[in-house]
């Protein structure tokens, strides 16, 4: 918005060449800020009417929105959706989901979160395909219902070593979120664990020292001959 | 499939575009009394792009326009860069919100309120687990502010702050509308300037009051116990968190911009204004909106009206224009009294109505109201009468533009 106001302002204040160049620059900057370009590929479209049954465990998976996937395969009672992307989202990724004795309707899916509604007391097993090279910690996960009630790890849900979440016996609309804030047991040396405060301290000392030196060097000196400040 | 423009391409292009733009403005601006203002305007826009669109630090590798989530914190890229020492980001003295979403810089005012309890280490909710001590985080905030202020003074307000740009845009709208600006009386302006420190004191005291349950074991204001698993959803700051942020006029703008570009979940705007008096919003409170409306209306009459009471500007000013910081501050506005004819044009042109540039006899005339925008320097028609110096070197000086 402000870019357009600048342009209007430029139109008023500057000459045409300047305006033209500013337009080009702003277009370039806008393009850069967008940062993403979409490429086409073969996908299968599905609608909220489509269902994905898991007969062996009496589970049904559906979606409350339309979307696309590259491939959907039932493997060991788990549906694996490759390059799954839901309508309204530009994220696509692989989701593994299994539902036992319940009907599930997936509402949203993104890199670190899945939201779905459950009908029937059953079990849901999901893997969001996190790009993690480690086993996540249960405190990195949240399972929340539509009333923003948090469910306890170990009691209401379990985290497996492959970052799969198993939720048992909860009904309603659930959101499963993973926050990757670098949670880890920090065994690094003290100076690495507290590097930012150390760097800040060093920056303060260096800045003050430099400022004092500059102050002394640029202080006006009284000339011996003329009696005036140089 | 979505693929992203690689950062190795974006960064050089961004810097090239920025450099070429700056060079062109310097070269092509014909009005000598507007050259610096035009340059400043361009730099402000570049700063907004960097701060909000994360051109420099992201959101590379992050999905955009994602569906609803539970928190806007899911773009906290600061955590990727800074680990859990400062996952909220490094403080940078511009009003750009705690959620300049997923960026590595954060509004220091938010941090001061959140980290005000230096000897008590608390979780921040949504599993932001700090590895740093409370005192350590506070030290990083104050230290960063001191360094930033000593080096560039309040120039952040004049050249980088997105809310400063917003006010400047409104000023330009006023000019285009051919409306005349008004000025506060000197005494009013002085009182406004002093009120900034009262505002800082008030919000810090309120932060303690709101967090009383966690400090004293009892609530002073009912409803300030945090929710969530183990009471950690919002940690010490509870629902009525960071009191200044509830009134900050930048917060709605930040939300709008971030939602507009897809770095923030729009549901955090759509959930606004619920709870008693609408003060407990999902992200924006009704007070935010009222203050913003007032600032917008006043900005169409007065220049840089918010900057006169901005607590962040006050802090930056505190660390650059008050003793002992003033003695060693690196960026200064200097006046040559012998070349000054006391015509008063500098005083009239100053957007924050700083008066030292006119009243003081010479030397360092930087004051806490001065945002180092250099408007006085570019408008002054006397050669070298006014200068902005950095580390003793002249960055820009007044020119005889009358010839």
């Amino acid at each position: 918005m402000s870019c357009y106001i600048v342009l209007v302002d430029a139109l008023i204040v500057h000459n045409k060449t300047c305006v033209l160049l500013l337009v080009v620059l702003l277009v370039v900057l806008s393009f850069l800020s967008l940062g993403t370009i979409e490429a086409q590929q073969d996908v299968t479209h599905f609608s909220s009417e489509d269902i994905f049954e898991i007969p062996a465990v009496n589970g049904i998976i559906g979606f409350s929105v339309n979307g696309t996937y590259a491939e959907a395969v039932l493997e060991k009672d788990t549906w694996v959706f490759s390059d799954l992307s839901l309508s309204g989202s530009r994220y696509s990724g692989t989701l593994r989901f299994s539902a036992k004795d319940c009907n599930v309707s997936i509402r949203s899916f993104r890199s670190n979160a899945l939201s779905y509604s459950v009908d029937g007391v059953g079990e849901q097993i999901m893997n969001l395909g996190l790009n993690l090279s480690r086993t996540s910690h249960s405190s990195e996960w949240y399972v929340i219902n539509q009333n923003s009630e948090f469910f306890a790890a170990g009691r209401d849900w379990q985290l497996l070593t492959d970052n799969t979440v198993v939720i048992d016996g909860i009904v309603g609309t659930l959101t499963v979120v993973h926050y990757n804030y670098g949670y880890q047991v920090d065994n690094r040396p003290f100076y690495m664990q507290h590097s930012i405060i150390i760097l800040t301290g060093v920056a303060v000392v260096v800045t003050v020292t430099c400022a004092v030196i500059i102050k002394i060097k640029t202080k006006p000196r009284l000339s011996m001959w003329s009696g005036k400040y140089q | 499939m979505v693929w992203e423009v690689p950062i190795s391409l974006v960064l050089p292009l961004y810097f090239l575009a920025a450099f070429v733009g700056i060079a062109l403005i310097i070269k092509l601006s014909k009005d000598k009394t507007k050259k610096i203002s035009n340059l400043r305007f361009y730099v402000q826009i570049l700063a907004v792009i960097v701060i909000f669109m994360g051109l420099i630090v992201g959101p590379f590798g992050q999905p955009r326009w994602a569906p609803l989530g539970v928190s806007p914190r899911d773009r906290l890229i600061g955590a990727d860069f800074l680990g859990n020492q400062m996952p909220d980001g490094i403080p940078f003295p511009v009003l750009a919100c705690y959620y300049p979403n997923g960026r590595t810089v954060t509004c220091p005012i938010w941090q001061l309120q959140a980290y005000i309890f230096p000897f008590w280490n608390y979780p921040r909710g949504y599993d932001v687990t700090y590895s740093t001590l409370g005192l350590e985080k506070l030290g990083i905030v104050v230290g960063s502010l001191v360094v930033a202020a000593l080096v560039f003074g309040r120039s952040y307000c004049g050249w980088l702050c997105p809310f400063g740009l917003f006010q400047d845009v409104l000023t330009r709208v006023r000019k285009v509308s051919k409306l005349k600006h008004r000025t506060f009386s000197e005494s009013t302006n002085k009182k406004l300037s002093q009120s900034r420190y009262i505002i800082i004191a008030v919000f810090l005291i309120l932060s303690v009051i709101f967090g009383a349950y966690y400090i004293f074991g009892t609530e002073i204001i009912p409803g300030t116990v945090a929710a969530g698993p183990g009471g950690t959803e919002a940690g010490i700051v509870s629902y009525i968190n960071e009191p200044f942020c509830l009134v900050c006029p930048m917060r709605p703008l930040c939300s709008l911009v971030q939602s507009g570009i897809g770095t923030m979940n729009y549901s955090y705007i759509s959930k606004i204004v619920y709870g008693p008096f609408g003060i407990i919003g999902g992200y924006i409170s009704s007070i935010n909106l009222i203050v913003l409306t007032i600032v917008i209306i006043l900005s169409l009459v007065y220049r840089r009206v918010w900057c006169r009471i901005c607590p962040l500007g006050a802090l930056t000013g505190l660390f650059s224009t008050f003793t002992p910081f003033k003695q060693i501050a690196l960026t200064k506005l200097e006046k040559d009294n012998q070349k000054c004819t006391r015509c008063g044009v500098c005083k009239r042109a100053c957007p924050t109505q700083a008066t030292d540039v006119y009243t003081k006899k010479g030397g360092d005339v930087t004051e806490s109201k001065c945002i180092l925008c250099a408007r006085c320097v570019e408008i002054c028609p006397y050669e070298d009468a006014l200068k902005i110096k950095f580390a003793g070197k002249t960055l820009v000086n007044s020119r005889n533009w009358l010839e």
Side-chain angles (χ1 to χ4, degrees), chain B residues 71-355:
Chain B
S71 167
R73 299 182 66 112
D74 50 13
R75 298 278 192 281
L76 208 61
I77 294 176
D80 297 341
F81 284 79
L82 306 167
N84 50 0
Q85 290 186 55
M86 285 296 274
D88 301 318
I90 288 291
F92 189 70
V94 294
L95 274 190
C97 256
Y98 158 60
Y99 301 129
N101 271 341
R103 308 300 160 241
T104 51
V105 295
T106 292
C107 175
I109 296 287
W110 176 86
Q111 289 184 314
L112 279 178
Q113 295 169 101
Y115 307 153
I116 194 173
F117 315 100
F119 300 105
W120 191 69
N121 300 304
Y122 56 91
R124 257 296 299 164
Y126 294 114
D127 200 44
V128 178
T129 311
Y130 297 113
S131 68
T132 41
L133 305 172
L135 187 61
E136 189 175 336
K137 289 193 286 289
L138 203 61
I140 291 169
V141 177
V142 176
S144 306
L145 272 178
V146 168
V147 170
L150 276 180
V151 177
F152 291 118
R154 276 196 73 185
S155 55
Y156 304 95
C157 310
W159 290 75
L160 301 176
C161 179
F163 201 67
L165 172 65
F166 179 68
Q167 292 173 91
D168 287 347
V169 167
L170 290 173
T171 297
R172 286 174 184 244
V173 170
R174 175 182 57 74
K175 282 181 180 172
V176 170
S177 312
K178 299 199 185 324
L179 296 170
K180 282 192 174 179
H181 76 266
R182 294 173 68 91
T183 53
F184 292 108
S185 69
E186 270 190 39
S187 63
T188 307
N189 203 40
K190 194 177 175 185
K191 280 174 191 164
L192 286 173
S193 179
Q194 288 166 343
S195 70
R196 297 178 296 175
Y197 300 101
I198 297 170
I199 293 171
I200 295 173
V202 167
F203 74 65
L204 289 184
I205 291 167
L206 283 175
S207 294
V208 175
I209 291 172
F210 290 157
Y213 183 84
Y214 297 93
I215 303 169
F216 312 118
T218 182
E219 287 177 276
I220 295 176
I221 295 176
T224 50
V225 182
T232 60
E233 185 186 333
I236 199 162
V237 284
S238 73
Y239 274 124
I240 307 176
N241 52 16
E242 304 85 17
F244 176 74
C245 301
L246 290 176
V247 300
C248 179
M250 188 59 197
R251 211 176 194 192
L253 295 180
C254 279
S255 311
L256 274 175
V257 172
Q258 291 164 2
S259 298
I261 61 173
T263 55
M264 183 180 184
N265 192 322
Y266 67 86
S267 70
Y268 289 90
I269 293 184
S270 62
K271 283 202 300 188
I272 61 168
V273 193
Y274 62 86
F277 308 108
I279 61 168
I280 307 169
Y283 194 72
I284 308 169
S285 75
S286 53
I287 306 175
N288 287 131
L289 296 172
I290 291 167
V291 174
L292 176 63
T293 309
I294 293 169
V295 171
I296 288 172
I297 293 166
L298 287 176
S299 293
L300 293 169
V301 183
Y302 301 97
R303 295 165 298 177
R304 287 283 185 144
V305 68
W306 175 259
C307 299
R308 299 164 202 244
I309 58 165
C310 177
L312 184 52
L315 283 176
T316 325
L318 187 71
F319 294 132
S320 62
T321 56
F322 286 95
T323 308
F325 303 104
K326 185 179 174 70
Q327 311 301 324
I328 55 171
L330 292 175
T331 310
K332 291 176 176 176
L333 174 64
E334 288 193 0
K335 174 179 166 183
D336 187 334
N337 204 35
Q338 289 179 332
K339 291 172 181 168
C340 174
T341 61
R342 297 183 62 76
C343 65
V345 69
C346 52
K347 189 180 160 188
R348 289 195 296 278
C350 179
T352 57
Q353 290 182 244
T355 50

Side-chain angles (χ1 to χ4, degrees), chain A:
Chain A
M1 178 63 185
S2 58
C3 294
Y4 295 116
I5 295 168
V6 172
L7 278 177
V8 172
D9 179 71
L11 279 166
I12 297 162
V13 178
H14 305 292
N15 61 35
K16 284 178 185 171
T17 319
C18 189
V19 173
L20 188 68
L21 289 166
L22 274 173
V23 170
V24 172
L25 283 173
L26 288 171
V27 168
V28 170
L29 289 174
S30 303
F31 166 74
L32 291 179
S33 67
L34 274 175
T36 55
I37 297 169
E38 217 164 331
Q40 295 289 325
Q41 71 165 39
D42 291 333
V43 291
T44 305
H45 292 265
F46 63 84
S47 74
S48 52
E49 307 288 315
D50 296 328
I51 55 168
F52 301 84
E53 288 183 287
I54 313 172
V57 290
N58 190 29
I60 295 175
I61 298 170
F63 294 85
S64 58
V65 290
N66 300 338
T68 60
Y69 55 77
E71 191 179 31
V73 183
L74 183 62
E75 289 177 357
K76 296 177 186 171
D77 300 334
T78 300
W79 276 100
V80 182
F81 301 97
S82 304
D83 274 332
L84 175 68
S85 179
L86 301 189
S87 177
S89 166
R90 292 183 63 168
Y91 174 72
S92 65
T94 299
L95 171 69
R96 294 168 183 273
F97 202 106
S98 178
K100 185 180 174 187
D101 299 326
C102 57
N103 292 353
V104 166
S105 177
I106 295 172
R107 299 156 64 91
S108 70
F109 171 55
R110 56 176 162 162
S111 64
N112 69 331
L114 179 74
S115 181
Y116 63 91
S117 303
V118 191
D119 186 14
V121 181
E123 186 180 71
Q124 302 92 49
I125 303 168
M126 69 217 70
N127 189 310
L128 308 188
L130 295 177
N131 188 20
L132 279 181
S133 55
R134 60 184 172 82
T135 301
S136 61
H137 189 273
S138 62
S139 64
E140 294 173 59
W141 291 85
Y142 279 100
V143 177
I144 313 156
N145 72 4
Q146 68 274 20
N147 300 319
S148 296
E149 290 167 342
F150 289 73
F151 294 96
R155 187 189 68 192
D156 302 312
W157 56 274
Q158 317 289 330
L159 178 68
L160 307 183
T161 50
D162 63 347
N163 298 320
T164 295
V165 176
V166 181
I167 298 175
D168 198 6
I170 307 175
V171 289
T173 301
L174 299 178
T175 303
V176 179
V177 194
H178 173 257
Y179 290 106
N180 181 15
Y181 294 129
Y183 179 89
Q184 56 191 342
V185 178
D186 206 340
N187 293 320
R188 294 173 303 166
F190 177 85
Y191 72 91
M192 286 182 77
Q193 286 183 41
H194 303 278
S195 56
I196 296 179
I197 184 70
I198 293 169
L199 283 173
T200 307
V202 169
V204 171
V205 171
V206 169
T207 308
V208 170
T209 308
C210 291
V212 169
I213 291 169
I214 289 164
K215 170 78 179 171
I216 293 166
K217 281 195 168 181
T218 57
K219 198 174 180 180
R221 282 164 293 188
L222 201 62
S223 167
M224 274 174 67
W225 311 108
S226 61
K228 289 180 181 173
Y229 281 103
Q230 290 177 326

